[in-house]
């Protein structure tokens, strides 16, 4: 697959995220969450470290009509639709950060608290937290928190 | 050259280096670890060493020429190490931010 390819969610993909109508689970749902209409395939690999079969999962999602390649380049950054189901997920992310970081969690918790209440907003906040932690807190804890957060986001 | 000019330049250098040391130590509290935190401790140590060297500058003239050459060479070495560590740190920060 071309590493520069950009995928966007189709109406079906957005419907699945909002209502779970098609019952996507685990890694397939996580891959759908990661697709944002402006990150290319190599950027998606960066966001999903350890997601070895990402391309295969994306191809499956494309075949089933949840995502489609963006023909005319990346879409503008998504505004996202606030989702009331997001709030408890955000609380779980914050709890995970507090568990992993203990009394070092302050800045990370603040980033998560201030994240927009959308799938994309939380995903971006998690990535930002991971980068900040790698730089100024602890690389191992950054990887651990990212793993936990992606598992939590996969339950959306 | 007038000794007053030399003294003024040395004094300015010492002030600037102590300001750098103050900033470096202040920022340390923001970094408990990670890539920057680990390197920062080393960089602060080097800044401290340079600050001490700058303060000792007026007394270096009392050393023999061999010792003085050695001191200058050591300062050059640590200066080069400082630059290498800083550039490497910037490279790693760019890599992480580009992921």
């Amino acid at each position: 697959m071309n590493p520069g390819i950009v995928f966007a969610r189709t109406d079906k993909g957005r419907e699945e995220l909002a209502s779970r109508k098609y019952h996507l689970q685990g890694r397939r749902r996580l891959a759908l969450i990661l697709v944002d209409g402006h990150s290319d395939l190599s950027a998606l690999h960066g966001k999903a470290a350890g997601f070895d079969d990402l391309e295969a999962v994306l191809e499956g999602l494309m075949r089933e009509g949840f995502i489609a390649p963006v023909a005319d380049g990346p879409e503008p950054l998504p505004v996202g639709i606030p989702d009331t189901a997001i709030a408890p997920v955000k609380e779980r992310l914050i709890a995970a950060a507090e568990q992993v970081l203990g009394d070092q969690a302050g800045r990370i918790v603040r980033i998560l608290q201030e994240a927009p209440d959308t799938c994309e907003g939380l995903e971006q906040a998690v990535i930002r937290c991971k980068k900040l932690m790698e730089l100024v807190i602890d690389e191992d804890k950054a990887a651990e928190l990212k793993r936990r957060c992606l598992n939590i986001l996969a339950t959306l | 050259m007038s000794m007053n000019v030399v003294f003024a330049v040395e004094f300015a250098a010492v002030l600037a280096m102590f300001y750098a040391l103050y900033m470096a130590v202040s920022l340390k509290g923001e970094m408990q670890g990670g890539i920057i935190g680990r390197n920062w401790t080393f960089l602060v140590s080097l800044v401290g060493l340079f600050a001490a060297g700058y303060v000792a500058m007026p007394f270096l003239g009392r050393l023999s020429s061999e010792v003085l050459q050695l001191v200058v060479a050591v300062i050059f070495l640590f200066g080069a190490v400082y630059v290498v560590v800083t550039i490497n740190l910037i490279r790693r920060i760019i890599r992480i931010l580009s992921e």
Side-chain angles (χ1 to χ4, degrees), chain B residues 5-19 54 57:
Chain B
V5 174
V6 173
F7 178 78
V9 173
E10 287 181 355
F11 186 70
V14 169
L15 277 185
M17 191 52 77
F18 270 89
Y19 180 59
Y54 279 30
M57 219 169 5

Side-chain angles (χ1 to χ4, degrees), chain A residues 3-116:
Chain A
I5 192 169
V6 176
F7 288 106
R9 292 181 204 126
T10 60
D11 289 342
K12 184 179 177 183
R14 283 191 285 274
E15 189 180 10
E16 166 59 17
L17 277 192
S19 67
R20 292 180 166 274
K21 182 178 176 183
Y22 302 99
H23 308 291
L24 283 188
Q25 298 293 333
R27 296 164 85 78
R28 299 178 73 212
R29 187 168 177 82
L30 175 57
L32 183 62
I33 291 169
L34 290 174
V35 167
D36 56 12
H38 66 274
S39 300
D40 63 17
L41 182 59
S42 54
L44 292 181
H45 273 296
K47 289 178 181 179
F51 198 150
D52 297 329
D53 54 347
L54 177 64
E55 289 184 30
V57 172
L58 289 173
E59 280 175 9
L61 291 175
M62 187 168 61
R63 272 197 307 274
E64 293 171 46
F66 290 103
I67 61 173
V70 178
D72 302 320
E75 292 175 347
L77 282 172
V79 174
I81 302 165
D83 183 346
T84 50
I86 296 280
V89 170
K90 188 188 265 192
E91 290 303 317
R92 289 177 61 199
L93 293 176
I94 291 170
E98 287 170 340
Q99 276 178 3
V100 172
L101 290 169
D103 56 4
Q104 296 176 317
R107 263 187 294 186
I108 301 302
V109 167
R110 206 160 47 244
I111 291 171
L112 293 170
Q113 282 171 337
E114 291 169 0

Side-chain angles (χ1 to χ4, degrees), chain B residues 26-89:
Chain B
S26 304
L27 271 175
K28 181 75 183 114
E30 301 280 319
M31 309 159 197
Q32 295 96 338
I35 291 167
I36 299 179
R38 267 200 318 276
N39 284 282
W40 202 253
T41 306
F42 183 62
L43 290 178
V44 170
S45 309
L46 284 178
V47 174
L49 186 73
F50 290 140
Y54 279 30
V55 169
M57 219 169 5
F59 309 104
L60 294 182
R62 297 180 188 178
L63 299 173
S64 67
S65 69
E66 288 85 7
V67 176
L68 186 58
Q69 279 184 335
L70 179 63
V71 169
V72 171
V74 168
I75 289 172
F76 279 4
L77 173 64
F78 281 115
V81 169
Y82 184 93
V83 172
V84 168
V85 172
T86 303
I87 291 173
N88 190 43
L89 185 57

Side-chain angles (χ1 to χ4, degrees), chain A residues 43 46-47 103-104 107 127 130-139, chain B residues 29-38 92-93 95-99:
Chain A
K47 289 178 181 179
D103 56 4
Q104 296 176 317
R107 263 187 294 186
I127 291 166
K130 187 240 178 193
K131 289 179 177 178
L132 180 63
M133 287 173 64
E134 272 188 315
L135 290 175
V136 298
I137 298 178
D138 187 288
E139 291 138 288
Chain B
E30 301 280 319
M31 309 159 197
Q32 295 96 338
I35 291 167
I36 299 179
R38 267 200 318 276
R92 296 177 73 180
I93 291 170
R95 186 178 54 76
I96 286 178
L97 294 181
S98 320
E99 279 175 359

